[in-house]
Amino acid sequence: MGALDEGHCNGEVEGCFELGFEKEVETVAIEDAVKVLLQGLGEDVNREGLQKTPLRVAKALREGTRGYQLKVKDIVQGALFPEAGLETGTGHAGGVGGLVIVRDLDLFSYCESCLLPFQVKCHIGYVPSGHRVVGLSKLSRVADIFAKRLQDPQRLADEICSALQHGIKPGGVSIILQCSHIHFPTLESAFLASNHHGFVKMLVTSGSGVFENEKADIWGDFLSLLKFRGINVDKIHPRDSADKCWCPSQTTSKVGPANSGMTAAVSLILRSLGEDPLRKELLGTPNNFVKWLFNFKNSHLEMKLNGFVLGRMDALKSIGDDNIQSELNLSFWSQCEHHLLPFHGVVHIGYICSGGVDPIGKCLLQSIVHFHGFKLQVQERLTRQIAETASSLLGGDVMVVVEANHTCMISRGIEKIGSNTATVAVLGRFSTDPAFRAKFLQSIPNSATPEG
Amino acid sequence: MGALDEGHCNGEVEGCFELGFEKEVETVAIEDAVKVLLQGLGEDVNREGLQKTPLRVAKALREGTRGYQLKVKDIVQGALFPEAGLETGTGHAGGVGGLVIVRDLDLFSYCESCLLPFQVKCHIGYVPSGHRVVGLSKLSRVADIFAKRLQDPQRLADEICSALQHGIKPGGVSIILQCSHIHFPTLESAFLASNHHGFVKMLVTSGSGVFENEKADIWGDFLSLLKFRGINVDKIHPRDSADKCWCPSQTTSKVGPANSGMTAAVSLILRSLGEDPLRKELLGTPNNFVKWLFNFKNSHLEMKLNGFVLGRMDALKSIGDDNIQSELNLSFWSQCEHHLLPFHGVVHIGYICSGGVDPIGKCLLQSIVHFHGFKLQVQERLTRQIAETASSLLGGDVMVVVEANHTCMISRGIEKIGSNTATVAVLGRFSTDPAFRAKFLQSIPNSATPEG
């Protein structure tokens, strides 16, 4: 197999944006701010796992907000194609040129209230006019210009809609966004509602031209064509609703202002991204982001197992005759130390109850999971730490499976939105006997898959 | 909202690869070759829809094969992190460091037999060793180096496996790929098997280190963790199987060599991508690709409706009292004239049977769909043409919905793998009465969604 002699992008598979960003003053400023944040969390910025974290975070934030630098006209220009039969008059649903719809575009954006990424499933409709259509991929590219900024769902929908209306000048544009924002748990709230590892969801719409009136018949056509795709249009968020802000950071208890050095660092990050930290919607953002980070502060505490309350025994399930006990689907939250982005999912713990080992409660195991989760982590270490702590209580035969969604896998350069990771740790007889492993793995139900 | 003053990528949202590629001799050579192919199909390379097609195809092919220029070591370097507790000895499934799995990575690659893109769902496992783990996103980036080449599923799996084994030096690596290749219909075969709008599927595996032996217990652990994700491991393709080549171009009837100018042009494209057209697996590729293109040759034929056989009437469904007739899920195949890549899916046709109009058969409507599909097209035009032809037979009240998956949307720069498009054309009473549109749209079942 041959290879071109002169590669323009040798080794730079992460994309040119990173190449360009790396040495810019804005990137360096964000790096310095991230170091302040890490130090505020009690971390050693020189330890190996964290050395490149400031640069990674800076590049990710600049990549993730590159929409500020892009122009709609540069994308749409040259992608308008003449098509006969598309009427200028659009009173009749565009005549024979009808509606054009692109569905299920996966985007992600950054929440302007808390700086965490949120996922967007974007559906776009437009009615061609003036005898021309636009290349289908351009609808996605234009949407991405506005997704790659600090956003709120309704404004994102409105900006995409307005940009397409002005860029293509069609009969009308309709936008529906299904947005999913990660929860915002604290160690305390995670215990109170142990199973909220879903997402805060919001469904918003925007329309222009023939779609400007939300009661227009053409909305019915558009929604009918989306209903095939399993979208529940009854859940559309009313534009004039009182609960304007969807971000879960808004409902977290308002503890006073966080470390002022850290909030100043976040303000500096906002400015370096090209934003105005004094914009109304951004005023609370530094404090919200620092509050989020503080959930994962390095506490230097030894785990006090004696302090945990033993839970109900009837929650345990015994597998076959080998006395394998298991606790499945213990939720966890953690923060990736390489990217300062959340990862979350479920933990499954199996252990063997033989002479001298009593089964222990779900509550204690959930505590162990949260204790190791709420800090800067990597999934492999989290898995090992849970296994080791559990084994000290459970007699040494322990198997742990952690299934997680990593925000860094969906929002960084690779954008692998459906991907999911699993890590395994095995101790004692689980490491020597494949039959024990197989029995435990078979006990994990399909529904263990974290919501994507 | 502010904006950075100096954008490095103004307007170049398509990525720097295109920027770099645009003026290279290889790109220009591919452009010229694509012009030869378009002329061979009887097309006018200067008509507006085709003017930029040679450049688009050249950029897409070079982007899609950029893996030839990338090196594994540049990606893995700097992404290996120390983790305590991961044993060097891996005889016991890595000790407490166990298995690390990344599931459901969506990739795409180009089939070396026919030059069409194929989709890959990639699952990677490895057993950390030497007290170090690799950043999770690097597994995806390494896989993509080999996906972005002309490939065959088994070799792709083997190359990813070998690269990770040498790059990370773990206890072992396991790879499972679920590959989906578009069918290769001709106008004739499309009529014979009207519902094969699915894909040719192939499931392959590769293993090294502790995974080298396919019967090793650790494969059981890996497969158990994939079974949660709905993968049927019984369907794994045996490595030493006789039916080596999965590409449907191999089973298409061997009509003699195609236009030699066109096959020479494809050979030149292969060479410009950095491949050796004399490599054994590529010897038939130019002929296969030209055969595929010839399905979409501009025939300049007027449609001879008299030649069509009227089909069974009992296939028709009447909606309510308004005498709306519909034919749903008529499969279609077409070739996007902007990218020379297939798009395919289903067509739904509704019409009103009032005085003087008799319902017509499914076979006739399917013929109309195939007639307009098998050429260089855009989806909007296809929709309009089907509506206009149907209306000349059906009395003027016609509604057509085309639902399609565009290979260019998944394999070009934007890589929106789950996305799907719908276009609508309405004539007569369907354009003036929303109730008719709503009734027809409601009759389209959810299952109409083309397979993704």
Side-chain angles (χ1 to χ4, degrees):
Chain A
M1 211 172 313
L4 294 168
D5 289 334
E6 292 194 16
H8 275 243
C9 297
N10 266 338
E12 253 317 313
V13 76
E14 306 214 2
C16 69
F17 293 111
E18 301 200 358
L19 248 183
F21 287 156
E22 201 142 331
K23 286 163 190 168
E24 289 180 12
V25 287
E26 292 87 352
T27 309
V28 175
I30 297 173
E31 274 188 84
D32 291 341
V34 173
K35 281 181 197 157
V36 171
L37 296 175
L38 289 172
Q39 283 158 343
L41 292 176
E43 296 284 347
D44 171 9
V45 294
N46 293 315
R47 82 171 160 88
E48 203 161 349
L50 292 181
Q51 274 171 12
K52 289 191 188 169
T53 298
L55 179 59
R56 274 192 214 96
V57 174
K59 288 197 293 187
L61 282 170
R62 296 206 66 205
E63 267 180 58
T65 57
R66 64 176 182 265
Y68 291 123
Q69 305 174 54
L70 299 172
K71 293 194 181 69
V72 174
K73 118 175 123 43
D74 297 327
I75 287 171
V76 173
Q77 250 171 11
L80 288 167
F81 300 99
E83 275 306 318
L86 304 168
E87 303 305 323
T88 313
T90 55
H92 305 308
V96 291
L99 198 49
V100 175
I101 298 175
V102 176
R103 302 178 287 205
D104 292 329
L105 293 168
D106 286 312
L107 309 174
F108 81 93
S109 188
Y110 279 88
C111 173
E112 66 182 10
S113 288
C114 69
L115 276 189
L116 293 182
F118 64 94
Q119 287 183 56
V120 183
K121 209 169 258 297
C122 171
H123 314 279
I124 301 177
Y126 81 101
V127 177
S129 175
H131 295 81
R132 55 188 196 169
V133 297
V134 69
L136 291 169
S137 68
K138 305 305 175 195
L139 299 174
S140 172
R141 292 193 196 274
V142 168
D144 208 42
I145 287 186
F146 298 97
K148 291 282 184 287
R149 301 181 181 196
L150 304 188
Q151 279 290 8
D152 149 86
Q154 185 64 57
R155 194 176 64 238
L156 177 56
D158 291 345
E159 289 183 350
I160 297 171
C161 184
S162 165
L164 290 173
Q165 183 69 42
H166 288 98
I168 309 175
K169 302 205 180 5
V173 176
S174 53
I175 307 289
I176 292 195
L177 306 181
Q178 296 172 283
C179 301
S180 305
H181 191 307
I182 197 172
H183 269 287
F184 211 82
T186 59
L187 185 53
E188 294 73 34
S189 74
F191 272 107
L192 291 174
S194 63
N195 56 351
H196 69 179
H197 54 263
F199 291 84
V200 179
K201 306 257 185 192
M202 197 178 203
L203 189 63
V204 294
T205 67
S206 190
S208 62
V210 294
F211 287 99
E212 184 140 13
N213 176 1
E214 281 172 39
K215 310 270 184 240
D217 295 321
I218 187 130
W219 266 107
D221 298 0
F222 180 51
L223 294 174
S224 288
L225 285 157
L226 294 185
K227 268 188 193 152
F228 304 170
R229 313 287 290 176
I231 294 164
N232 185 350
V233 296
D234 296 335
K235 292 199 175 166
I236 289 173
H237 191 81
R239 181 181 287 271
D240 46 5
S241 160
D243 53 330
K244 283 288 271 194
C245 187
W246 73 321
C247 173
S249 74
Q250 302 292 306
T251 53
T252 314
S253 63
K254 303 276 182 198
V255 288
N259 179 317
S260 65
M262 292 172 77
T263 52
V266 180
S267 290
L268 195 143
I269 290 174
L270 295 175
R271 198 170 298 118
S272 301
L273 294 175
E275 268 287 4
D276 173 9
L278 298 178
R279 174 158 76 84
K280 181 167 57 95
E281 295 84 357
L282 295 177
L283 286 176
T285 305
N287 207 32
N288 290 335
F289 187 62
V290 172
K291 267 196 300 186
W292 162 264
L293 284 183
F294 257 92
N295 286 321
F296 306 97
K297 188 175 186 322
N298 189 343
S299 58
H300 294 300
L301 286 177
E302 286 302 305
M303 195 177 188
K304 295 192 187 74
L305 289 173
N306 297 334
F308 287 116
V309 181
L310 290 175
R312 293 170 303 121
M313 294 302 159
D314 57 347
L316 295 165
K317 285 160 288 296
S318 184
I319 308 167
D321 301 328
D322 291 312
N323 238 345
I324 298 181
Q325 305 285 339
S326 68
E327 277 301 342
L328 307 178
N329 293 320
L330 300 163
S331 67
F332 82 90
W333 295 90
S334 197
Q335 188 85 339
C336 166
E337 72 178 29
H338 298 152
H339 301 97
L340 279 194
L341 282 171
F343 67 102
H344 63 102
V346 289
V347 178
H348 315 294
I349 302 177
Y351 57 101
I352 300 170
C353 264
S354 45
V357 175
D358 290 325
I360 60 171
K362 178 171 187 168
C363 184
L364 176 52
L365 293 175
Q366 179 70 70
S367 301
I368 293 170
V369 167
H370 282 320
F371 176 81
H372 290 299
F374 277 101
K375 56 183 68 167
L376 299 194
Q377 269 288 12
V378 298
Q379 186 177 337
E380 296 88 340
R381 188 189 310 148
L382 172 66
T383 312
R384 174 178 62 80
Q385 289 177 339
I386 293 170
E388 286 174 348
T389 305
S391 106
S392 70
L393 293 167
L394 294 167
D397 299 317
V398 171
M399 178 158 182
V400 175
V401 174
V402 177
E403 297 191 89
N405 289 322
H406 283 252
T407 313
C408 52
M409 291 283 279
I410 63 153
S411 69
R412 284 295 314 282
I414 63 167
E415 295 195 21
K416 295 301 179 192
I417 286 184
S419 74
N420 180 278
T421 59
T423 44
V424 179
V426 284
L427 288 171
R429 279 185 280 172
F430 281 104
S431 72
T432 52
D433 190 339
F436 279 113
R437 295 202 299 273
K439 272 211 180 90
F440 172 60
L441 288 170
Q442 277 156 26
S443 75
I444 302 177
N446 274 3
S447 59
T449 306
E451 195 180 343
Chain B
M1 216 172 307
L4 293 169
D5 289 335
E6 291 193 16
H8 275 243
C9 297
N10 268 337
E12 253 315 313
V13 77
E14 306 215 2
C16 67
F17 294 110
E18 301 198 358
L19 248 183
F21 288 156
E22 201 142 330
K23 287 163 191 167
E24 289 179 12
V25 288
E26 292 88 354
T27 308
V28 175
I30 297 173
E31 275 188 83
D32 291 341
V34 173
K35 281 180 197 156
V36 172
L37 296 176
L38 289 172
Q39 282 158 344
L41 293 177
E43 296 285 347
D44 171 9
V45 294
N46 292 316
R47 82 171 159 89
E48 202 160 351
L50 291 180
Q51 274 172 12
K52 289 191 187 169
T53 298
L55 179 58
R56 273 191 214 98
V57 174
K59 288 197 292 185
L61 282 170
R62 297 207 65 206
E63 269 181 54
T65 57
R66 64 176 183 263
Y68 292 124
Q69 305 174 55
L70 300 172
K71 293 194 181 69
V72 174
K73 117 174 123 46
D74 297 326
I75 287 171
V76 173
Q77 251 171 11
L80 288 167
F81 300 98
E83 276 304 318
L86 305 167
E87 303 304 322
T88 312
T90 55
H92 304 308
V96 292
L99 197 50
V100 176
I101 298 174
V102 176
R103 304 179 285 205
D104 292 330
L105 294 168
D106 286 312
L107 309 173
F108 80 93
S109 188
Y110 278 89
C111 174
E112 65 183 9
S113 288
C114 69
L115 275 189
L116 293 182
F118 64 94
Q119 286 183 56
V120 183
K121 210 169 259 295
C122 171
H123 314 280
I124 302 177
Y126 82 100
V127 176
S129 175
H131 295 83
R132 55 189 197 166
V133 297
V134 71
L136 292 169
S137 68
K138 305 305 174 192
L139 299 174
S140 171
R141 291 192 196 276
V142 169
D144 208 42
I145 287 185
F146 298 97
K148 292 279 183 292
R149 301 179 180 198
L150 304 188
Q151 280 291 5
D152 150 85
Q154 185 64 58
R155 195 176 63 239
L156 177 57
D158 290 345
E159 289 182 351
I160 297 170
C161 185
S162 166
L164 289 174
Q165 183 68 44
H166 289 97
I168 309 174
K169 303 204 182 1
V173 176
S174 54
I175 307 289
I176 292 195
L177 305 181
Q178 296 171 282
C179 300
S180 305
H181 192 308
I182 198 171
H183 269 286
F184 212 83
T186 59
L187 185 52
E188 295 73 32
S189 74
F191 272 106
L192 291 174
S194 64
N195 57 351
H196 70 177
H197 53 263
F199 291 83
V200 179
K201 305 257 185 190
M202 195 179 208
L203 189 63
V204 295
T205 67
S206 190
S208 62
V210 294
F211 287 98
E212 185 138 14
N213 176 1
E214 282 173 36
K215 309 272 184 239
D217 296 321
I218 187 132
W219 267 107
D221 298 1
F222 181 51
L223 294 173
S224 289
L225 285 156
L226 293 186
K227 268 186 193 152
F228 303 169
R229 313 287 290 178
I231 295 164
N232 185 350
V233 296
D234 296 336
K235 293 199 174 162
I236 289 173
H237 191 80
R239 182 180 287 271
D240 46 6
S241 161
D243 53 328
K244 282 291 273 192
C245 187
W246 74 320
C247 173
S249 73
Q250 302 294 306
T251 53
T252 313
S253 63
K254 304 276 182 196
V255 289
N259 178 317
S260 65
M262 290 173 78
T263 52
V266 180
S267 290
L268 195 144
I269 290 174
L270 294 176
R271 198 171 297 116
S272 301
L273 294 175
E275 269 287 4
D276 173 11
L278 298 178
R279 175 158 77 84
K280 182 168 55 96
E281 296 84 357
L282 295 177
L283 286 175
T285 306
N287 208 31
N288 290 335
F289 187 63
V290 172
K291 267 195 301 186
W292 163 264
L293 283 184
F294 257 91
N295 287 320
F296 306 97
K297 188 174 185 324
N298 190 343
S299 58
H300 294 300
L301 285 176
E302 286 302 304
M303 193 175 191
K304 296 194 185 72
L305 288 173
N306 297 336
F308 289 113
V309 180
L310 288 174
R312 292 170 304 123
M313 293 304 161
D314 58 348
L316 294 164
K317 286 160 288 297
S318 183
I319 307 168
D321 301 329
D322 291 312
N323 238 347
I324 298 181
Q325 305 284 337
S326 67
E327 277 300 344
L328 307 178
N329 294 319
L330 300 164
S331 66
F332 82 91
W333 295 90
S334 196
Q335 189 85 340
C336 165
E337 73 178 27
H338 299 152
H339 300 98
L340 279 195
L341 282 171
F343 66 102
H344 62 102
V346 289
V347 178
H348 315 294
I349 302 177
Y351 57 101
I352 300 170
C353 263
S354 45
V357 176
D358 288 325
I360 61 172
K362 178 170 186 167
C363 185
L364 176 53
L365 292 175
Q366 178 70 69
S367 302
I368 293 171
V369 167
H370 281 320
F371 176 81
H372 291 298
F374 277 101
K375 56 183 71 166
L376 300 193
Q377 269 287 14
V378 298
Q379 186 177 335
E380 295 88 339
R381 189 189 310 147
L382 172 67
T383 312
R384 174 177 63 80
Q385 289 177 340
I386 292 171
E388 286 173 349
T389 306
S391 105
S392 70
L393 293 167
L394 293 167
D397 299 317
V398 171
M399 178 160 183
V400 175
V401 174
V402 177
E403 298 192 87
N405 289 322
H406 284 251
T407 313
C408 53
M409 290 285 278
I410 63 153
S411 71
R412 285 293 315 283
I414 64 166
E415 295 194 22
K416 295 300 179 192
I417 286 182
S419 73
N420 180 278
T421 59
T423 43
V424 180
V426 285
L427 288 172
R429 277 185 281 172
F430 281 104
S431 73
T432 51
D433 190 339
F436 280 113
R437 294 203 298 274
K439 271 210 182 89
F440 172 61
L441 288 171
Q442 277 155 26
S443 76
I444 303 177
N446 274 3
S447 59
T449 307
E451 195 179 344

